[in-house]
Amino acid sequence: MIFESHAHYDDKAFDKDRDLLLERMQEQGVGTIINVSASMRGVRDTLALTERYPFIYGAVGIHPDEVGELNEENFSWLQEQCGRKKVVAVGEIGLDYYWDKESHEQQKYWFIRQLSLAREQKLPVIIHSREAAQDTMDLMKEHGTGLEGVIHCFSYSPEMAREYVKMGYYIGVGGVVTFKNAKKLKETVQQIPLERILLETDSPYLAPVPYRGKRNCSFYLSYVAKEIGALKGISPEEVICVTERNAQKMYRLEETEHE
Ligand code: NI
């Protein structure tokens, strides 16, 4: 079944029909969802979703745009939440020089702290990086070696993707790969092994063609699988099957109720 490795069902875009939508996931072929938090509120809402739905697991972390919320007290609280049974990753964390909401210094400081948190908690990381290619790579080389994780919504060069794969990381591929102008991402998909790709939506954002511009949801990953299959000359079913195994391995969900 489809493994959705990155969604934000706590987002207000789902306030009207969240439960209706989530109740239909399994019949639409989506077996597992990782709900990824970005803010302190997002962490609390993510934990609530993991309690409500057996197939939803959570990632706990503060997005670079929101690190202004962090202080030692909040950070210790985050640390405690990492010990919960259904928390399977630290994320999303990283650098965002596109929105540039917090100073680069602040972003780097809390990125490094959250990487150390993942190491201490023995959890994989979900990395967000936008227009910060070199600084992210530098910090990952210094503070991220030996960790497992995914570079989510990958938007850099195929060369950089190959470098992350060499370091043991996965590459998150979503709706953008179906866009006509996404030349770099299509090349990236062709150049890295399927065993290193995770399917993700980043819902409610980045819906694939033919829903581009609309609210995204995990059902639409079938379009992403189809495009990856076309680029690699394999069936969408194979893409779904292998990426599910990849995600189960990375999030260490191999021995849960999947049979
Ligand atoms: Ni996200």
Side-chain angles (χ1 to χ4, degrees):
M1 288 181 93
I2 290 173
F3 192 120
E4 156 72 282
S5 69
H6 191 121
H8 303 280
Y9 284 109
D10 54 298
D11 193 280
K12 60 179 182 318
F14 297 106
D15 279 354
K16 280 204 182 121
D17 59 350
R18 180 175 295 108
D19 286 327
L20 276 176
L21 203 64
L22 290 173
E23 275 154 19
R24 285 173 58 212
M25 285 297 160
Q26 311 237 285
E27 71 179 49
Q28 294 285 330
V30 179
T32 313
I33 295 174
I34 307 295
N35 202 76
V36 180
S37 57
S39 62
M40 292 296 287
R41 183 204 50 78
V43 174
R44 283 188 289 271
D45 293 347
T46 294
L47 295 173
L49 281 170
T50 66
E51 277 162 24
R52 189 171 168 93
Y53 291 96
F55 58 90
I56 299 185
Y57 294 82
V60 157
I62 305 298
H63 186 286
D65 289 348
E66 310 293 337
V67 292
E69 291 187 330
L70 279 172
N71 52 38
E72 289 309 320
E73 195 189 334
N74 287 346
F75 191 80
S76 320
W77 182 79
L78 276 187
Q79 191 171 27
E80 278 165 39
Q81 308 318 308
C82 285
R84 288 185 180 233
K85 209 168 151 229
K86 290 188 81 185
V87 171
V88 293
V90 171
E92 53 187 293
I93 61 173
L95 302 174
D96 193 317
Y97 296 173
Y98 176 79
W99 292 110
D100 243 348
K101 269 186 66 187
E102 302 293 338
S103 73
H104 295 186
E105 215 163 298
Q106 278 290 331
Q107 292 191 36
K108 286 181 189 172
Y109 175 78
W110 289 110
F111 182 26
I112 294 169
R113 288 287 302 272
Q114 294 184 92
L115 285 171
S116 316
L117 176 64
R119 191 182 299 281
E120 162 205 301
Q121 299 287 327
K122 300 192 170 56
L123 288 172
V125 287
I126 300 172
I127 306 296
H128 169 102
S129 178
R130 193 160 179 202
E131 293 192 11
Q134 198 54 50
D135 279 6
T136 306
M137 180 58 91
D138 291 347
L139 288 184
M140 291 297 282
K141 287 231 156 122
E142 205 183 331
H143 303 274
T145 45
L147 287 175
E148 278 197 286
V150 57
I151 315 300
H152 128 78
C153 195
F154 190 80
S155 60
Y156 300 135
S157 66
E159 292 72 30
M160 198 161 254
R162 292 208 308 265
E163 183 79 28
Y164 278 117
V165 165
K166 247 195 267 164
M167 291 162 68
Y169 282 89
Y170 292 86
I171 303 295
V173 178
V176 175
V177 78
T178 67
F179 299 175
K180 252 207 179 115
N181 57 357
K183 211 174 139 243
K184 266 193 322 187
L185 184 57
K186 289 180 201 280
E187 280 170 26
T188 297
V189 165
Q190 284 168 326
Q191 290 188 25
I192 60 174
L194 185 60
E195 286 67 28
R196 282 288 149 188
I197 294 177
L198 299 188
L199 292 186
E200 61 168 45
T201 57
D202 207 17
S203 289
Y205 310 107
L206 298 171
V209 173
Y211 298 104
R212 188 171 181 177
K214 302 252 166 59
R215 184 183 74 172
N216 202 357
C217 104
S218 307
F219 313 161
Y220 302 162
L221 281 173
S222 54
Y223 295 95
V224 176
K226 207 168 139 198
E227 180 64 26
I228 294 175
L231 288 165
K232 287 194 157 305
I234 55 176
S235 69
E237 291 75 21
E238 190 177 348
V239 174
I240 288 170
C241 177
V242 174
T243 54
E244 180 182 34
R245 242 185 287 139
N246 299 344
Q248 286 170 344
K249 205 168 147 214
M250 195 197 95
Y251 290 112
R252 298 164 200 151
L253 292 171
E254 287 155 305
E255 267 134 56
T256 51
E257 54 286 296
H258 271 281
E259 282 90 301

